[in-house]
């Protein structure tokens, strides 16, 4: 045992820095993508959801078939007596208008099985952000305040703007209201969804890295809002280069890989990225298109920046539940 009182101040500081540098988050993995394996990996985290539990997913754009199906997630939602939570989009389509969004939710079978809450249907609130480089606050659906615990249940896949979508995107863009999404996409320049997408405004307002940094800051805001009462799960199936927000996504060229889960959102997204980038693809099971989409948008930078602002760690220990 080291007796700290015998060490000088410099030695104590150096030892603390070394211990922090060696810190690794636990990420759990299973190849099985079943209702039962979702419950199993959730329990493996050793963190029991209590109180009013929000299960944040993407219910999928109209026409999309790659979103996490109600039949897959049903056992997990029932296990925690959870409510499916969503927010409206900021780009038109079938989910920006609440009425159309409810129709899409019904068409995809969610409200027939679960309690569903469109958190920004009637309003929005601002929650604090720790990293104020771009955002002064995070704008989320007002019903976020109704929940004590969140299960961030993300579908890991590509994304046209972020490069990829995992738990960090699901916490940031996913929990943001329509105005909040515009605010993040414009890196804090506007919360007007009509302005955020105009080429002139985007060219004058932000860089790609500004957007990724804003997503990381918003994800941290939601994480801190729940004071640690949040768990993160990525389901690696139907990994198209396109997101569930795309009504006509490209066909997945990479085979399903499994489920990752952690209490650390940075670690679990990083573990999924590593899984994809280190995979030895073959004809009919090709990781190159997804890697190209991620690299095109500098997508991996989000975990770099999220680690930098203290949201989590890119260093992790992978625990295989199948062994």
């Amino acid at each position: 045992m080291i007796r700290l009182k015998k060490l000088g101040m410099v030695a104590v500081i150096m030892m603390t820095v070394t211990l922090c540098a060696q810190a690794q988050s636990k990420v759990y993995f299973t190849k099985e993508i079943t209702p039962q394996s979702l419950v199993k990996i959730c329990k493996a985290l050793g963190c029991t959801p209590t109180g009013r539990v929000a299960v944040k997913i993407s219910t999928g754009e109209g026409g999309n078939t790659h979103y996490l199906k109600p039949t897959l997630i049903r056992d997990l939602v029932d296990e925690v007596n959870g409510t499916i939570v969503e927010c409206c989009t900021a780009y038109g389509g079938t989910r920006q208008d609440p009425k159309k969004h409810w129709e899409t939710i019904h068409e995809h079978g969610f409200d027939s099985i679960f309690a569903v809450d469109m958190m920004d249907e009637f309003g929005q609130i601002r929650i604090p952000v720790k990293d104020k480089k771009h955002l002064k606050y995070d704008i989320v659906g007002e019903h976020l305040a109704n929940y004590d615990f969140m299960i961030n249940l993300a579908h890991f896949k590509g994304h046209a703007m972020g490069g990829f979508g995992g738990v960090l995107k699901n916490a940031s863009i996913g929990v943001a209201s329509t105005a909040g999404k515009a605010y993040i996409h414009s890196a804090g320049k506007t919360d007007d969804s009509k302005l955020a997408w105009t080429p002139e405004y985007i060219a004058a307002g932000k860089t790609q890295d500004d957007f990724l940094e804003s997503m990381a800051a918003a994800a941290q805001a939601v994480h801190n809002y729940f004071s640690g009462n949040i768990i993160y799960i990525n389901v690696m199936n139907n990994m198209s280069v396109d997101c569930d927000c795309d009504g006509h996504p490209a066909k997945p060229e990479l085979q399903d890989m499994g489920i990752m889960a952690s209490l650390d959102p940075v670690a679990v997204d990083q573990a999924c990225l590593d899984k994809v980038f280190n995979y030895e693809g073959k004809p009919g099971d090709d990781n190159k298109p997804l890697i190209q989409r991620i690299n095109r948008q500098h997508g991996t930078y989000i975990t770099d920046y999220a680690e930098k602002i203290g949201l989590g760690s890119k260093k992790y220990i992978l625990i295989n539940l199948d062994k």
Side-chain angles (χ1 to χ4, degrees):
M1 180 180 294
I2 299 174
R3 297 184 183 277
L4 295 181
K5 66 181 180 180
K6 290 186 178 182
L7 295 175
M9 182 59 70
V10 174
V12 171
I13 292 173
M14 290 181 64
M15 187 179 72
T16 301
V17 170
T18 300
L19 289 174
C20 290
Q22 292 174 344
Q24 293 180 311
S25 298
K26 293 180 179 179
V27 176
Y28 294 86
F29 170 73
T30 177
K31 286 185 178 180
E32 293 184 8
I33 304 177
T34 65
Q36 296 76 23
S37 62
L38 267 176
V39 174
K40 179 181 178 180
I41 204 166
C42 181
K43 289 183 176 180
L45 295 172
C47 182
T48 304
T50 56
R52 297 162 297 182
V53 180
V55 181
K56 175 63 188 76
I57 65 164
S58 169
T59 50
E61 186 68 15
N64 188 293
T65 59
H66 296 160
Y67 58 90
L68 300 181
K69 303 301 188 293
T71 50
L72 173 63
I73 69 173
R74 182 172 187 168
D75 287 4
L76 176 59
V77 179
D78 287 347
E79 178 75 20
V80 300
N81 192 28
T83 298
I84 298 296
V85 298
E86 258 278 50
C87 283
C88 291
T89 63
Y91 53 80
T94 68
R95 294 186 298 149
Q96 182 169 348
D97 172 77
K99 182 177 182 296
K100 291 182 179 179
H101 196 167
W102 275 118
E103 290 173 356
T104 303
I105 288 170
H106 182 70
E107 288 172 3
H108 290 175
F110 288 97
D111 61 339
S112 301
I113 299 177
F114 312 114
V116 180
D117 182 4
M118 196 182 300
M119 294 191 293
D120 65 336
E121 184 175 12
F122 302 109
Q124 58 193 20
I125 57 175
R126 294 176 179 179
I127 63 174
V129 293
K130 181 179 179 181
D131 176 60
K132 292 184 170 62
K133 183 176 181 180
H134 305 292
L135 308 181
K136 296 178 180 178
Y137 39 73
D138 189 20
I139 311 172
V140 301
E142 67 174 355
H143 287 181
L144 188 70
N146 295 340
Y147 298 96
D148 307 301
F149 197 104
M150 174 174 281
I151 296 179
N152 182 328
L153 181 55
H155 174 208
F156 187 88
K157 69 288 178 192
H159 190 269
M161 294 184 176
F164 77 95
V167 296
L168 290 172
K169 177 182 177 292
N170 199 34
S172 55
I173 296 296
V175 176
S177 64
T178 294
K181 288 176 171 64
Y183 191 56
I184 295 168
H185 272 285
S186 67
K189 302 301 188 297
T190 183
D191 61 7
D192 187 334
S193 62
K194 294 180 181 179
L195 288 176
W197 308 112
T198 59
E200 298 82 4
Y201 194 91
I202 290 175
K206 68 175 181 63
T207 67
Q208 174 66 5
D209 284 359
D210 291 340
F211 164 51
L212 296 172
E213 289 172 356
S214 298
M215 276 210 294
Q220 185 179 45
V222 172
H223 182 86
N224 291 347
Y225 183 81
F226 280 97
S227 301
N229 292 321
I230 183 167
I231 61 178
Y232 298 92
I233 303 173
N234 272 330
V235 180
M236 303 180 74
N237 71 343
N238 294 321
M239 288 182 286
S240 169
V241 298
D242 297 315
C243 181
D244 298 344
C245 60
D246 191 324
H248 304 283
K251 180 180 178 181
E253 298 183 57
L254 180 62
Q255 296 298 309
D256 296 350
M257 288 185 168
I259 304 172
M260 300 271 196
S262 181
L263 302 180
D264 181 338
V266 179
V268 73
D269 268 2
Q270 187 62 49
C272 290
L273 287 169
D274 291 343
K275 187 80 171 172
V276 170
F277 275 74
N278 295 326
Y279 188 70
E280 294 187 8
K282 52 185 179 294
D285 186 15
D286 191 1
N287 58 340
K288 292 186 183 66
L290 182 53
I291 290 174
Q292 289 169 357
R293 173 59 57 87
I294 294 170
N295 287 340
R296 187 191 77 181
Q297 300 304 111
H298 196 201
T300 58
Y301 178 61
I302 192 171
T303 57
D304 296 336
Y305 192 76
E307 181 182 57
K308 179 180 177 181
I309 62 176
L311 178 52
S313 174
K314 290 172 59 179
K315 301 178 183 68
Y316 60 89
I317 299 172
L318 192 64
I319 303 170
N320 192 337
L321 297 180
D322 300 332
K323 294 183 177 179

Short mmCIF file of all heavy atoms in Angstrom, two decimals, residues 127-178:
data_model
loop_
_atom_site.label_atom_id
_atom_site.label_comp_id
_atom_site.label_asym_id
_atom_site.label_seq_id
_atom_site.Cartn_x
_atom_site.Cartn_y
_atom_site.Cartn_z
N ILE A 127 -31.95 22.74 -20.95
CA ILE A 127 -31.18 22.15 -19.86
C ILE A 127 -29.73 22.61 -19.99
O ILE A 127 -29.27 22.94 -21.09
CB ILE A 127 -31.28 20.61 -19.83
CG1 ILE A 127 -30.70 19.99 -21.10
CG2 ILE A 127 -32.73 20.18 -19.64
CD1 ILE A 127 -30.64 18.45 -21.08
N PRO A 128 -28.98 22.64 -18.90
CA PRO A 128 -27.62 23.19 -18.94
C PRO A 128 -26.66 22.33 -19.76
O PRO A 128 -26.78 21.11 -19.80
CB PRO A 128 -27.20 23.21 -17.47
CG PRO A 128 -28.46 23.06 -16.69
CD PRO A 128 -29.39 22.26 -17.53
N VAL A 129 -25.70 22.99 -20.39
CA VAL A 129 -24.58 22.30 -21.02
C VAL A 129 -23.31 22.66 -20.26
O VAL A 129 -23.14 23.80 -19.82
CB VAL A 129 -24.41 22.65 -22.52
CG1 VAL A 129 -25.57 22.13 -23.33
CG2 VAL A 129 -24.25 24.15 -22.71
N LYS A 130 -22.46 21.69 -20.10
CA LYS A 130 -21.18 21.93 -19.43
C LYS A 130 -20.18 22.56 -20.38
O LYS A 130 -19.45 23.50 -20.02
CB LYS A 130 -20.62 20.61 -18.88
CG LYS A 130 -19.31 20.75 -18.13
CD LYS A 130 -18.84 19.40 -17.60
CE LYS A 130 -17.50 19.53 -16.87
NZ LYS A 130 -17.03 18.20 -16.38
N ASP A 131 -20.14 22.04 -21.61
CA ASP A 131 -19.22 22.56 -22.63
C ASP A 131 -19.95 23.63 -23.45
O ASP A 131 -20.86 23.32 -24.20
CB ASP A 131 -18.74 21.43 -23.54
CG ASP A 131 -17.86 21.94 -24.66
OD1 ASP A 131 -16.82 22.53 -24.36
OD2 ASP A 131 -18.25 21.77 -25.84
N LYS A 132 -19.55 24.86 -23.31
CA LYS A 132 -20.23 25.99 -23.95
C LYS A 132 -19.46 26.53 -25.16
O LYS A 132 -19.62 27.71 -25.52
CB LYS A 132 -20.49 27.10 -22.93
CG LYS A 132 -21.50 26.73 -21.85
CD LYS A 132 -21.77 27.91 -20.93
CE LYS A 132 -22.96 27.63 -20.00
NZ LYS A 132 -22.74 26.50 -19.12
N LYS A 133 -18.64 25.72 -25.76
CA LYS A 133 -17.88 26.17 -26.93
C LYS A 133 -18.81 26.65 -28.03
O LYS A 133 -18.53 27.65 -28.71
CB LYS A 133 -16.98 25.04 -27.44
CG LYS A 133 -16.10 25.44 -28.61
CD LYS A 133 -15.16 24.32 -29.02
CE LYS A 133 -14.26 24.76 -30.18
NZ LYS A 133 -13.32 23.67 -30.59
N HIS A 134 -19.91 25.92 -28.26
CA HIS A 134 -20.87 26.29 -29.30
C HIS A 134 -22.27 26.54 -28.75
O HIS A 134 -22.97 27.43 -29.23
CB HIS A 134 -20.94 25.19 -30.37
CG HIS A 134 -19.64 24.83 -30.98
ND1 HIS A 134 -18.93 25.68 -31.81
CD2 HIS A 134 -18.88 23.70 -30.88
CE1 HIS A 134 -17.81 25.10 -32.20
NE2 HIS A 134 -17.76 23.89 -31.65
N LEU A 135 -22.70 25.73 -27.81
CA LEU A 135 -24.07 25.80 -27.30
C LEU A 135 -24.12 26.51 -25.96
O LEU A 135 -23.26 26.32 -25.11
CB LEU A 135 -24.64 24.38 -27.14
CG LEU A 135 -24.56 23.43 -28.34
CD1 LEU A 135 -25.20 22.09 -27.98
CD2 LEU A 135 -25.22 24.03 -29.57
N LYS A 136 -25.15 27.32 -25.77
CA LYS A 136 -25.37 27.97 -24.48
C LYS A 136 -26.21 27.08 -23.57
O LYS A 136 -26.19 27.21 -22.36
CB LYS A 136 -26.07 29.30 -24.68
CG LYS A 136 -25.26 30.32 -25.46
CD LYS A 136 -26.05 31.60 -25.65
CE LYS A 136 -25.25 32.63 -26.45
NZ LYS A 136 -26.04 33.87 -26.70
N TYR A 137 -26.97 26.16 -24.18
CA TYR A 137 -27.87 25.26 -23.48
C TYR A 137 -28.28 24.17 -24.47
O TYR A 137 -27.91 24.22 -25.65
CB TYR A 137 -29.12 26.02 -22.99
CG TYR A 137 -29.61 27.06 -23.98
CD1 TYR A 137 -30.28 26.68 -25.15
CD2 TYR A 137 -29.37 28.41 -23.78
CE1 TYR A 137 -30.70 27.62 -26.08
CE2 TYR A 137 -29.79 29.36 -24.70
CZ TYR A 137 -30.45 28.97 -25.84
OH TYR A 137 -30.85 29.90 -26.77
N ASP A 138 -29.01 23.19 -24.00
CA ASP A 138 -29.56 22.14 -24.86
C ASP A 138 -31.07 22.27 -24.81
O ASP A 138 -31.67 22.46 -23.75
CB ASP A 138 -29.13 20.76 -24.34
CG ASP A 138 -29.47 19.64 -25.29
OD1 ASP A 138 -29.70 19.91 -26.49
OD2 ASP A 138 -29.51 18.47 -24.84
N ILE A 139 -31.71 22.21 -25.98
CA ILE A 139 -33.17 22.38 -26.07
C ILE A 139 -33.79 21.01 -26.29
O ILE A 139 -33.58 20.38 -27.34
CB ILE A 139 -33.57 23.32 -27.20
CG1 ILE A 139 -32.76 24.62 -27.16
CG2 ILE A 139 -35.06 23.63 -27.14
CD1 ILE A 139 -32.95 25.52 -28.37
N VAL A 140 -34.54 20.53 -25.31
CA VAL A 140 -35.09 19.16 -25.35
C VAL A 140 -36.60 19.19 -25.17
O VAL A 140 -37.19 20.21 -24.77
CB VAL A 140 -34.45 18.30 -24.25
CG1 VAL A 140 -32.94 18.24 -24.42
CG2 VAL A 140 -34.79 18.83 -22.86
N GLY A 141 -37.24 18.06 -25.46
CA GLY A 141 -38.68 17.95 -25.22
C GLY A 141 -39.00 18.14 -23.75
O GLY A 141 -38.31 17.61 -22.89
N GLU A 142 -40.06 18.90 -23.46
CA GLU A 142 -40.35 19.25 -22.07
C GLU A 142 -40.67 18.03 -21.21
O GLU A 142 -40.46 18.05 -19.99
CB GLU A 142 -41.49 20.25 -22.00
CG GLU A 142 -42.85 19.71 -22.44
CD GLU A 142 -43.98 20.73 -22.20
OE1 GLU A 142 -43.69 21.78 -21.61
OE2 GLU A 142 -45.13 20.45 -22.62
N HIS A 143 -41.14 16.95 -21.81
CA HIS A 143 -41.50 15.77 -21.02
C HIS A 143 -40.29 15.01 -20.51
O HIS A 143 -40.44 14.07 -19.73
CB HIS A 143 -42.38 14.83 -21.85
CG HIS A 143 -43.77 15.34 -22.05
ND1 HIS A 143 -44.73 14.65 -22.75
CD2 HIS A 143 -44.38 16.48 -21.62
CE1 HIS A 143 -45.86 15.34 -22.77
NE2 HIS A 143 -45.65 16.46 -22.10
N LEU A 144 -39.09 15.44 -20.92
CA LEU A 144 -37.90 14.81 -20.35
C LEU A 144 -37.92 14.92 -18.83
O LEU A 144 -37.45 14.03 -18.12
CB LEU A 144 -36.63 15.47 -20.90
CG LEU A 144 -35.31 14.78 -20.54
CD1 LEU A 144 -35.18 13.45 -21.28
CD2 LEU A 144 -34.12 15.68 -20.88
N ALA A 145 -38.51 15.99 -18.34
CA ALA A 145 -38.57 16.24 -16.89
C ALA A 145 -39.45 15.23 -16.17
O ALA A 145 -39.44 15.17 -14.93
CB ALA A 145 -39.07 17.66 -16.63
N ASN A 146 -40.21 14.43 -16.90
CA ASN A 146 -41.13 13.47 -16.28
C ASN A 146 -40.45 12.15 -15.93
O ASN A 146 -41.10 11.26 -15.36
CB ASN A 146 -42.31 13.18 -17.22
CG ASN A 146 -43.18 14.40 -17.45
OD1 ASN A 146 -43.16 15.34 -16.66
ND2 ASN A 146 -43.94 14.39 -18.53
N TYR A 147 -39.17 12.01 -16.25
CA TYR A 147 -38.51 10.71 -16.10
C TYR A 147 -37.35 10.76 -15.12
O TYR A 147 -36.66 11.77 -14.98
CB TYR A 147 -38.05 10.20 -17.47
CG TYR A 147 -39.21 10.01 -18.41
CD1 TYR A 147 -39.56 11.01 -19.32
CD2 TYR A 147 -40.01 8.88 -18.34
CE1 TYR A 147 -40.66 10.86 -20.16
CE2 TYR A 147 -41.11 8.72 -19.17
CZ TYR A 147 -41.43 9.71 -20.07
OH TYR A 147 -42.53 9.57 -20.87
N ASP A 148 -37.16 9.63 -14.43
CA ASP A 148 -36.09 9.50 -13.44
C ASP A 148 -34.88 8.75 -13.97
O ASP A 148 -33.78 8.86 -13.41
CB ASP A 148 -36.61 8.73 -12.21
CG ASP A 148 -37.87 9.33 -11.64
OD1 ASP A 148 -37.84 10.50 -11.27
OD2 ASP A 148 -38.91 8.62 -11.59
N PHE A 149 -35.09 7.98 -15.02
CA PHE A 149 -34.04 7.09 -15.54
C PHE A 149 -34.23 6.96 -17.05
O PHE A 149 -35.37 6.96 -17.53
CB PHE A 149 -34.14 5.72 -14.87
CG PHE A 149 -32.92 4.85 -15.01
CD1 PHE A 149 -32.05 4.68 -13.95
CD2 PHE A 149 -32.63 4.20 -16.21
CE1 PHE A 149 -30.92 3.88 -14.06
CE2 PHE A 149 -31.51 3.41 -16.34
CZ PHE A 149 -30.64 3.25 -15.26
N MET A 150 -33.12 6.84 -17.76
CA MET A 150 -33.22 6.65 -19.22
C MET A 150 -32.41 5.45 -19.67
O MET A 150 -31.26 5.25 -19.24
CB MET A 150 -32.73 7.90 -19.97
CG MET A 150 -32.69 7.71 -21.49
SD MET A 150 -32.28 9.22 -22.43
CE MET A 150 -33.89 10.04 -22.41
N ILE A 151 -33.00 4.65 -20.53
CA ILE A 151 -32.27 3.64 -21.29
C ILE A 151 -32.11 4.21 -22.70
O ILE A 151 -33.08 4.41 -23.42
CB ILE A 151 -33.01 2.30 -21.34
CG1 ILE A 151 -33.13 1.71 -19.94
CG2 ILE A 151 -32.29 1.32 -22.26
CD1 ILE A 151 -33.88 0.39 -19.89
N ASN A 152 -30.87 4.51 -23.06
CA ASN A 152 -30.56 5.01 -24.39
C ASN A 152 -30.35 3.80 -25.28
O ASN A 152 -29.29 3.17 -25.26
CB ASN A 152 -29.31 5.89 -24.32
CG ASN A 152 -28.92 6.50 -25.66
OD1 ASN A 152 -29.13 5.91 -26.72
ND2 ASN A 152 -28.31 7.68 -25.61
N LEU A 153 -31.38 3.45 -26.02
CA LEU A 153 -31.37 2.23 -26.84
C LEU A 153 -31.22 2.63 -28.29
O LEU A 153 -32.19 3.01 -28.96
CB LEU A 153 -32.66 1.44 -26.60
CG LEU A 153 -32.83 0.12 -27.36
CD1 LEU A 153 -31.67 -0.82 -27.11
CD2 LEU A 153 -34.15 -0.54 -26.95
N ALA A 154 -30.01 2.59 -28.78
CA ALA A 154 -29.70 3.12 -30.11
C ALA A 154 -29.49 2.01 -31.12
O ALA A 154 -29.03 0.92 -30.80
CB ALA A 154 -28.45 4.00 -30.04
N HIS A 155 -29.80 2.34 -32.35
CA HIS A 155 -29.50 1.48 -33.49
C HIS A 155 -28.21 2.00 -34.11
O HIS A 155 -28.18 3.12 -34.64
CB HIS A 155 -30.65 1.50 -34.49
CG HIS A 155 -30.38 0.76 -35.76
ND1 HIS A 155 -30.97 1.11 -36.95
CD2 HIS A 155 -29.59 -0.32 -36.02
CE1 HIS A 155 -30.55 0.28 -37.89
NE2 HIS A 155 -29.72 -0.59 -37.34
N PHE A 156 -27.14 1.23 -34.04
CA PHE A 156 -25.85 1.66 -34.59
C PHE A 156 -25.84 1.43 -36.10
O PHE A 156 -26.05 0.32 -36.57
CB PHE A 156 -24.71 0.89 -33.93
CG PHE A 156 -23.34 1.41 -34.32
CD1 PHE A 156 -22.76 2.43 -33.60
CD2 PHE A 156 -22.68 0.89 -35.42
CE1 PHE A 156 -21.51 2.92 -33.96
CE2 PHE A 156 -21.44 1.38 -35.79
CZ PHE A 156 -20.85 2.40 -35.06
N LYS A 157 -25.57 2.50 -36.84
CA LYS A 157 -25.58 2.45 -38.31
C LYS A 157 -24.93 3.71 -38.84
O LYS A 157 -24.44 4.54 -38.08
CB LYS A 157 -27.02 2.32 -38.85
CG LYS A 157 -27.88 3.57 -38.64
CD LYS A 157 -28.28 3.78 -37.22
CE LYS A 157 -29.08 5.06 -37.02
NZ LYS A 157 -29.21 5.38 -35.59
N GLY A 158 -24.94 3.90 -40.16
CA GLY A 158 -24.38 5.10 -40.73
C GLY A 158 -25.32 6.29 -40.59
O GLY A 158 -26.47 6.15 -40.17
N HIS A 159 -24.81 7.46 -40.97
CA HIS A 159 -25.63 8.67 -40.94
C HIS A 159 -25.08 9.66 -41.95
O HIS A 159 -23.87 9.86 -42.04
CB HIS A 159 -25.64 9.29 -39.54
CG HIS A 159 -26.64 10.39 -39.39
ND1 HIS A 159 -26.34 11.70 -39.63
CD2 HIS A 159 -27.95 10.36 -39.04
CE1 HIS A 159 -27.42 12.44 -39.43
NE2 HIS A 159 -28.41 11.66 -39.08
N ALA A 160 -25.97 10.30 -42.71
CA ALA A 160 -25.56 11.19 -43.79
C ALA A 160 -24.77 12.39 -43.29
O ALA A 160 -23.86 12.88 -43.96
CB ALA A 160 -26.77 11.65 -44.58
N MET A 161 -25.10 12.88 -42.11
CA MET A 161 -24.44 14.09 -41.60
C MET A 161 -23.41 13.79 -40.52
O MET A 161 -22.34 14.39 -40.49
CB MET A 161 -25.49 15.07 -41.06
CG MET A 161 -26.38 15.63 -42.13
SD MET A 161 -27.53 16.86 -41.48
CE MET A 161 -28.33 17.37 -43.00
N GLY A 162 -23.72 12.87 -39.62
CA GLY A 162 -22.80 12.56 -38.53
C GLY A 162 -21.79 11.49 -38.85
O GLY A 162 -20.86 11.26 -38.07
N GLY A 163 -21.96 10.82 -40.00
CA GLY A 163 -21.07 9.70 -40.34
C GLY A 163 -21.59 8.39 -39.80
O GLY A 163 -21.69 7.39 -40.51
N PHE A 164 -21.96 8.39 -38.51
CA PHE A 164 -22.61 7.22 -37.92
C PHE A 164 -23.55 7.70 -36.82
O PHE A 164 -23.44 8.83 -36.31
CB PHE A 164 -21.58 6.24 -37.34
CG PHE A 164 -21.00 6.66 -36.00
CD1 PHE A 164 -21.53 6.18 -34.81
CD2 PHE A 164 -19.94 7.55 -35.93
CE1 PHE A 164 -21.02 6.57 -33.58
CE2 PHE A 164 -19.41 7.94 -34.71
CZ PHE A 164 -19.94 7.45 -33.53
N GLY A 165 -24.46 6.84 -36.46
CA GLY A 165 -25.36 7.14 -35.36
C GLY A 165 -25.29 6.04 -34.33
O GLY A 165 -25.41 4.86 -34.66
N GLY A 166 -25.04 6.43 -33.09
CA GLY A 166 -25.03 5.50 -31.97
C GLY A 166 -25.66 6.17 -30.77
O GLY A 166 -26.55 7.01 -30.92
N VAL A 167 -25.19 5.85 -29.58
CA VAL A 167 -25.82 6.40 -28.38
C VAL A 167 -25.55 7.89 -28.22
O VAL A 167 -26.40 8.61 -27.66
CB VAL A 167 -25.37 5.65 -27.11
CG1 VAL A 167 -25.82 4.20 -27.14
CG2 VAL A 167 -23.87 5.76 -26.87
N LEU A 168 -24.41 8.39 -28.69
CA LEU A 168 -24.14 9.82 -28.57
C LEU A 168 -25.12 10.63 -29.41
O LEU A 168 -25.65 11.65 -28.96
CB LEU A 168 -22.70 10.13 -28.98
CG LEU A 168 -21.62 9.62 -28.02
CD1 LEU A 168 -20.22 9.81 -28.63
CD2 LEU A 168 -21.71 10.31 -26.67
N LYS A 169 -25.37 10.17 -30.61
CA LYS A 169 -26.36 10.85 -31.45
C LYS A 169 -27.76 10.70 -30.87
O LYS A 169 -28.56 11.64 -30.89
CB LYS A 169 -26.32 10.31 -32.88
CG LYS A 169 -27.38 10.95 -33.78
CD LYS A 169 -27.34 10.36 -35.17
CE LYS A 169 -28.45 10.96 -36.02
NZ LYS A 169 -29.81 10.53 -35.57
N ASN A 170 -28.07 9.53 -30.35
CA ASN A 170 -29.40 9.28 -29.80
C ASN A 170 -29.68 10.16 -28.58
O ASN A 170 -30.82 10.54 -28.33
CB ASN A 170 -29.53 7.80 -29.42
CG ASN A 170 -30.96 7.34 -29.26
OD1 ASN A 170 -31.86 7.81 -29.96
ND2 ASN A 170 -31.19 6.43 -28.34
N ALA A 171 -28.62 10.48 -27.82
CA ALA A 171 -28.78 11.34 -26.65
C ALA A 171 -28.86 12.81 -27.03
O ALA A 171 -29.52 13.60 -26.35
CB ALA A 171 -27.62 11.13 -25.68
N SER A 172 -28.19 13.17 -28.10
CA SER A 172 -28.12 14.59 -28.48
C SER A 172 -29.24 14.97 -29.44
O SER A 172 -30.23 15.58 -29.04
CB SER A 172 -26.75 14.90 -29.08
OG SER A 172 -26.46 14.04 -30.17
N ILE A 173 -29.10 14.59 -30.69
CA ILE A 173 -30.13 14.88 -31.69
C ILE A 173 -31.44 14.19 -31.32
O ILE A 173 -32.53 14.76 -31.47
CB ILE A 173 -29.67 14.41 -33.09
CG1 ILE A 173 -28.44 15.20 -33.55
CG2 ILE A 173 -30.80 14.53 -34.10
CD1 ILE A 173 -28.68 16.67 -33.75
N GLY A 174 -31.37 12.98 -30.80
CA GLY A 174 -32.58 12.21 -30.52
C GLY A 174 -33.45 12.79 -29.43
O GLY A 174 -34.68 12.71 -29.49
N VAL A 175 -32.85 13.37 -28.39
CA VAL A 175 -33.61 13.92 -27.26
C VAL A 175 -33.98 15.38 -27.51
O VAL A 175 -34.88 15.93 -26.88
CB VAL A 175 -32.80 13.77 -25.95
CG1 VAL A 175 -33.49 14.40 -24.77
CG2 VAL A 175 -32.57 12.27 -25.66
N ALA A 176 -33.30 16.03 -28.45
CA ALA A 176 -33.58 17.44 -28.76
C ALA A 176 -34.93 17.60 -29.45
O ALA A 176 -35.35 16.75 -30.24
CB ALA A 176 -32.47 17.99 -29.64
N SER A 177 -35.58 18.71 -29.16
CA SER A 177 -36.81 19.07 -29.85
C SER A 177 -36.47 19.49 -31.28
O SER A 177 -35.29 19.54 -31.66
CB SER A 177 -37.49 20.22 -29.13
OG SER A 177 -36.66 21.39 -29.18
N THR A 178 -37.48 19.83 -32.07
CA THR A 178 -37.22 20.31 -33.43
C THR A 178 -36.28 21.51 -33.40
O THR A 178 -35.29 21.55 -34.14
CB THR A 178 -38.55 20.71 -34.12
OG1 THR A 178 -39.35 19.54 -34.30
CG2 THR A 178 -38.29 21.33 -35.48
#
